[in-house]
Amino acid sequence: MKIGVKYCGGCNPEYRREGVEEVLRKHFKIFYSEDVDILILINGCRKACLAEEVEHPNILVVDSPMSEEEIVRKVEDAMKELRES
Amino acid sequence: MMKGKEYIESLRKYKPTVYFMGKKIESVADSPILAPHVNAAAMTYELAHDPKYEDVMTATSHLTGEKINRFTHIHQSTEDLVKKVRMMRLLGRKTGSCFQRCVGLDALCALYITTYDIDQKYGTDYHERFKEYLTYVQKNDLMAAGAMTDVKGDRSLRPHQQADPDMYVRVVERREDGIVVRGAKAHITGAVNSHEIIALPTRAMGEKDKDYAVAFAVPVDAEGVVMFFGRQTNDMRRLDGDIDCGNAKYGTVGGEALIVFNDVFVPWERVFMCGEYDFASELVETFATYHRQNYGGCKVGVADVLIGASAAIAEYNGVERASHIVDKLTEMVHLAETCWCCSLACSYEGFKTPSGAYMPNLLLANVTKLNITRFPYEWSRLAQDIVGGIVATTPSELDYKNPETRELIEKYLKGKADVPTEHRIRVIRLIENLSIGAELPESMHGAGSPAAQKIMIARRANLDLKKEEAKRVAGILPDEDYQRVRGEEKKE
C-alpha cells in the first residue's frame, strides 16, 4: 500500500511539521506524491489549507502536534479500513 | 425573522425582574433609561430586512435550511466568520454603540462545539439537546444574553474554596426533571432586553469544582432571576433631552446588568453542561476566542463614528486643513484599520472543529482584542485633542433650550458662520459620549481583561519554534535550504 505526504506552504506553522514526516519514515515507506493509496496532509496549523485544496479519496489530515503512537495508529487504522473496503 | 419594531414589541411578552436606582423597572420596552440599548439591539433585527445589508445580516441555517438572522447562525465556513465581523463593523457604524447581540451568538457557537466534544468523550446527549434549543432560538429569532463572568469573590481562591459558595454560579440541587442553580453573573451585556440568558462557566475547573461546571439557558423572566441594571457615567442625561447624551438614540456600550440566579430551576432540556469540569476550560476558551474576534469589527465601527465626528468638528471650527489635524485624523484611521485587519485575519485563518462549526484563529483573535484594550484609548485621546477643551465644559442642553439664555449660547458657542451652533454642540457631545465614560473601560475589559489575552497569546506564541528559526539564521543550527542554494549540501 502506497502512502504519500503533502505539506502545506508552512507560512507560520504552530509546530515542527517535519517531525510528522520523520515518524512516518520510521514506520512506513512514504512518497512525495498524490498518486498513492493514502495521502497524509501535513498542515502547520488548524487552518489546514491543504484539507480545503486537495482532493483524494483517502486523506489523513494532521494539523497540530501528535504523538508518535497517535500518528502510527491513525495510518494503520486508515490502511486497515482501506483493505477492508 | 423579526423586524426592529417587532423585537421591541416582543419584549413586552417578558416580565423580567429588573432594578435600577432603587426601583423596579415595570416595562423594559418603555423605560427611557433602557431605550437607547433597546434601540441599538433593534438594529440587529431591522437591518436584516434591508436589501442593502442582508448579505451580512442573514445566513442560511445549517439545521433547517431556512433564512435566519446571522446573530443565531453557527459558522459553517471561514466566509461565515468574515461575514460576522463585517456585520459587527456595520452595526458599530450604524449605532455608534454596542448592539449587544454578539455575546449570545458567541455563547451559542461555543456551546455547539463543546457539547459535541463532551458527548464524544462521555456519550452524553448535550449536543442533540443543544441543537433543539438552537433551532428554537433560530425559528423565533431570539436575542440571548451570554452570561459568563461570575462575581468571583476572593480571586485567589477556586470556586469550591470560596467562603461563600455562591461566588460562582453552581448547581445546588439535581432533580429528575432538571437542576436548580444559584449564584450571580456580572457585567452582562444586553441582559435586561434579551429574551434568553445563556450561562457558561467563567474559568477552568477542577474535580472539586464539579458543581460549578454548569451551562444552561433560561428565559430572562424565569422565576428567581433578578437583575440590577448598572449605572453609567452621565446616564441621567437621558431624562433631560437628546443633546447632552451625545448618542440619545443608541446610548453607549451595552447596558450591562448584574444577574442573580436565586435558586432558579432549569429543565434538563436546557442544561448543556453539568459536572463535566474537564470541559469548562475548552468552553471558556472557545467563547473567548469568538468574542475577542468581534472587537476589531464593532469597536472599529464605533471608531468610524468618532473619526467622522472629529473630522466634522474640525470643519465646524475651521481647522480642517491644519496639517496637525489632518495628521491626527489619519492616525485615528490607521489605528482603527489596524484593528479591522486583526479581526479579518483571525476570521480568514479560522478552522473547522470536529463539530463542523468553524472558529477563528485563537492567537490572532486574542491579538485583536489586546489591541482593542489599547488603541481606542489612543484614538479617543486624538479625538479629545481635536475637539478641544470644550468637550468637558459645554453648557447644558437645558440652558441652551432656556429662552432666557439660548441667545447667549447661540452667539458664544458658534464656530464657522455657516454652521448652526446646535450642530457644533451635538458633535461635541457625541465626541464626549464616545471618548469619555463607559466606552473605554468596555474596550479594556469586555471579552476579558488584557491579562487574559496575554495568557492566551503566551500559550500560543510557540517560542521554541521561533528560537529554532533564530538559531538557524544565526548559524547555530544547520540551514539545509541555504546549503542547497550555495551548493554545500551533504552528499549521502
Side-chain angles (χ1 to χ4, degrees), chain A residues 13-16 46-47, chain B residues 348 350-351 462 465 468:
Chain A
E14 290 173 357
Y15 67 103
R16 207 177 139 265
R46 293 185 72 186
K47 166 76 175 158
Chain B
Y348 277 116
F351 62 93
N462 209 342
L465 215 62
E468 203 175 290

Side-chain angles (χ1 to χ4, degrees), chain B residues 320-333:
Chain B
E320 73 273 25
R321 288 199 182 85
S323 64
H324 71 100
I325 296 289
V326 174
D327 182 67
K328 283 164 195 157
L329 288 169
T330 308
E331 181 65 15
M332 290 172 81
V333 172

Side-chain angles (χ1 to χ4, degrees), chain B residues 123-175:
Chain B
T124 41
D125 67 344
Y126 290 120
H127 192 61
E128 280 310 308
R129 204 183 276 183
F130 179 72
K131 282 203 291 190
E132 276 178 37
Y133 175 67
L134 177 63
T135 306
Y136 164 74
V137 168
Q138 289 183 343
K139 278 189 177 295
N140 293 283
D141 201 5
L142 299 179
M143 172 165 161
M148 172 169 270
T149 309
D150 288 280
V151 292
K152 295 176 187 166
D154 182 338
R155 271 67 173 163
S156 70
L157 300 175
R158 302 187 69 83
H160 75 276
Q161 296 171 324
Q162 298 286 332
D164 181 340
D166 300 333
M167 291 298 98
Y168 289 77
V169 170
R170 65 184 178 122
V171 180
V172 290
E173 191 185 344
R174 286 176 170 79
R175 295 189 200 163

Side-chain angles (χ1 to χ4, degrees), chain B residues 232-268:
Chain B
Q232 288 183 349
T233 313
N234 300 331
D235 49 13
M236 286 303 162
R237 289 187 186 185
R238 287 168 200 183
L239 307 179
D240 296 336
D242 71 328
I243 297 179
D244 283 357
C245 296
N247 185 354
K249 286 183 284 187
Y250 306 114
T252 189
V253 301
E256 280 69 22
L258 173 70
I259 306 178
V260 177
F261 296 94
N262 225 342
D263 289 355
V264 175
F265 173 72
V266 187
W268 281 116

Side-chain angles (χ1 to χ4, degrees), chain B residues 434-483:
Chain B
L434 293 170
S435 67
I436 303 171
E439 182 66 28
L440 290 175
E442 208 285 328
S443 297
M444 176 73 82
H445 297 291
S449 309
Q453 286 112 58
K454 286 274 184 75
I455 290 167
M456 290 289 290
I457 290 169
R459 205 182 281 167
R460 299 190 166 267
N462 209 342
L463 291 183
D464 285 342
L465 215 62
K466 293 186 200 311
K467 275 192 289 187
E468 203 175 290
E469 300 291 15
K471 288 176 186 172
R472 183 185 49 73
V473 173
I476 299 166
L477 290 175
D479 189 338
E480 288 168 11
D481 300 318
Y482 173 81
Q483 286 164 345

Side-chain angles (χ1 to χ4, degrees), chain A residues 1 38 73-85:
Chain A
M1 198 168 285
I38 295 168
R73 184 177 48 76
K74 275 200 164 214
V75 176
E76 284 177 346
D77 286 352
M79 288 167 77
K80 189 175 166 214
E81 202 177 307
L82 196 60
R83 254 187 259 120
E84 284 170 359
S85 69

